[in-house]
Amino acid sequence: MSKLVTIFGGSGFVGRYIARRMAKEGWRVRVAVRRPNEAIFVRPYGAVGQVEPILANIRDDASVAAAIAGADAVVNCVGVLTERGKNGFEAVQTEGAARIARLAAEAGVGQLVHLSAIGANAESDSDYARSKAEGEAAVQAHFPGAVILRPSVIFGTEDEFFNRFAKMTKLGPVLPLVGGNSRFQPVYVDDVAKAAVAGVLGQAEAGIYELGGPDVETLHDLMVKMLGVIRRRRLIVNLPFWVGSVMAFGFGAMQALTVGLIHNGVLTRDQVRQLRRDNVVSDGAKGFADLGIDPTDMDAVLAEYLWVYRPGGQYSALQDSARNLRNT
Ligand SMILES: NC(=O)c1ccc[n+]([C@@H]2O[C@H](COP(=O)([O-])OP(=O)(O)OC[C@H]3O[C@@H](n4cnc5c(N)ncnc54)[C@H](OP(=O)(O)O)[C@@H]3O)[C@@H](O)[C@H]2O)c1
């Protein structure tokens, strides 16, 4: 019987790449999520029955224990960027992470890989960063052999970073930014998946790895790059942090007034706090080099999925060649 890995959050942006890679490795894959009916797209990653979505909520002991039962390895890819109802930072990123590690240890699981984030810090004023650090500490306490991955911002076809800003360019001639001078080290989603797979296969030493791509750039410069790829001109306006905080307060108030019916997925005050800091690999941290992974350059990937935002969309290449013909 082939080995079994349970991937909590295996239908998410990162989780699906890990699920695909684990299926290619010949493992059986359990994708444990709250809405397995929306995760059936993972089934074709393997042979019939090899990859199966199942119901689990990491806020609940019984469903987590059932999802882990019989697994040789567990990966936790569940995280929240903005709090939504009961799926808050503490419930998911601290208590949920601790629950998975505790139940995995009790079940005698061989390997645990946990997804955290660069900037995880128990002293941070950001609830996101603090909950990530507390989650890491709990994971290490329950499962000392765990491999913890801290990526910088992740890019790839389904990302919520370049796609979101590229969508914003359709709204008008100005692209407002908060934290334009903060530095990021974008990392390719499949490289994060490779790191997770190394952890599952026991090819990575226990401990914390910080994962960043080959380039460190400010948010402003990343937007210049993105605009170049989508061939649009926009005025990038770096807003001061206090303006960002006021805007985030407004969006938050709108969410509160509508009792959560309108969710603030635009900008929260917690995100403004995170944007004040650089999001890059720290000096001396273990990283891709220790895992034998050569991280992918952004330039090799961005055009592959951001072309949809070009003025001509799928016809932009055709328009270019027509323009070239006219010019000859
Ligand atoms: N994306 C980035 O740029 C980035 C950067 C740094 C770190 N990270 C970390 O990397 C990890 C993966 O991020 P991602 O971008 O792939 O997240 P994502 O796309 O939002 O995926 C989240 C996944 O978790 C599941 N989920 C959410 N709440 C759950 C719960 N209570 N119980 C069980 N499943 C739950 C979701 O499915 P259902 O909704 O169906 O449950 C989904 O499959 C997270 O820990 C995140 O903090 C991400």
Side-chain angles (χ1 to χ4, degrees):
M1 181 75 89
S2 56
K3 289 194 166 187
L4 171 67
V5 58
T6 298
I7 307 178
F8 289 95
S11 66
F13 172 40
V14 183
R16 64 186 69 179
Y17 284 79
I18 302 174
R20 199 180 288 138
R21 282 197 166 270
M22 287 314 303
K24 280 208 183 111
E25 291 287 334
W27 284 50
R28 287 176 295 134
V29 182
R30 239 181 229 160
V31 166
V33 290
R34 291 168 303 169
R35 290 172 290 226
N37 52 319
E38 290 177 23
I40 46 173
F41 64 87
V42 298
R43 281 193 174 141
Y45 292 172
V48 176
Q50 190 186 351
V51 183
E52 281 299 330
I54 63 155
L55 177 85
N57 188 331
I58 71 162
R59 304 195 313 270
D60 159 67
D61 264 30
S63 68
V64 171
I68 287 174
D72 299 282
V74 168
V75 181
N76 178 14
C77 293
V78 184
V80 282
L81 208 54
T82 53
E83 300 192 291
R84 224 175 175 149
K86 292 180 184 164
N87 235 29
F89 294 136
E90 204 178 321
V92 170
Q93 300 187 156
T94 304
E95 291 162 12
R99 176 171 294 112
I100 289 173
R102 172 173 54 82
L103 293 172
E106 281 173 19
V109 165
Q111 306 289 343
L112 172 64
V113 177
H114 174 73
L115 268 283
S116 184
I118 282 186
N121 177 359
E123 308 297 319
S124 176
D125 58 352
S126 149
D127 296 339
Y128 175 87
R130 225 175 29 251
S131 65
K132 279 289 192 192
E134 287 163 3
E136 287 181 358
V139 167
Q140 288 187 313
H142 289 296
F143 205 114
V147 169
I148 296 178
L149 304 177
R150 285 183 177 177
S152 181
V153 64
I154 305 175
F155 68 92
T157 309
E158 309 88 345
D159 73 40
E160 283 285 329
F161 182 70
F162 286 114
N163 277 301
R164 175 192 288 216
F165 285 109
K167 265 181 215 146
M168 277 171 65
T169 64
K170 294 190 172 177
L171 300 178
V174 176
L175 186 62
L177 291 184
V178 178
N181 296 323
S182 299
R183 294 182 312 142
F184 288 82
Q185 197 170 349
V187 54
Y188 183 45
V189 61
D190 204 32
D191 292 336
V192 178
K194 282 183 195 165
V197 169
V200 171
L201 299 181
Q203 295 163 353
E205 267 177 36
I208 298 180
Y209 294 78
E210 296 203 345
L211 306 180
D215 300 311
V216 173
E217 294 193 40
T218 63
L219 181 57
H220 178 276
D221 289 350
L222 287 171
M223 291 305 107
V224 172
K225 189 188 278 285
M226 179 271 290
L227 288 172
V229 173
I230 67 171
R231 301 178 188 167
R232 286 182 190 267
R233 284 189 183 179
R234 293 293 180 267
L235 180 66
I236 301 176
V237 178
N238 282 340
L239 301 175
F241 285 110
W242 70 266
V243 175
S245 298
V246 171
M247 284 168 58
F249 179 79
F251 293 133
M254 187 183 64
Q255 177 172 317
L257 285 174
T258 58
V259 215
L261 282 177
I262 300 180
H263 173 68
N264 173 16
V266 186
L267 183 69
T268 66
R269 289 163 83 190
D270 201 67
Q271 282 169 333
V272 176
R273 284 181 212 120
Q274 290 166 52
L275 283 164
R276 286 176 181 274
R277 291 177 201 97
D278 289 340
N279 196 281
V280 297
V281 171
S282 19
D283 290 339
K286 283 200 281 190
F288 278 129
D290 302 274
L291 298 166
I293 297 167
D294 192 14
T296 308
D297 206 308
M298 263 180 292
D299 295 333
V301 178
L302 291 186
E304 276 180 22
Y305 65 99
L306 291 180
W307 58 264
V308 286
Y309 302 101
R310 287 178 181 162
Q314 60 181 314
Y315 301 109
S316 57
L318 216 60
Q319 286 175 340
D320 287 349
S321 91
R323 203 170 296 125
N324 287 341
L325 271 178
R326 259 204 314 270
N327 293 341
T328 51

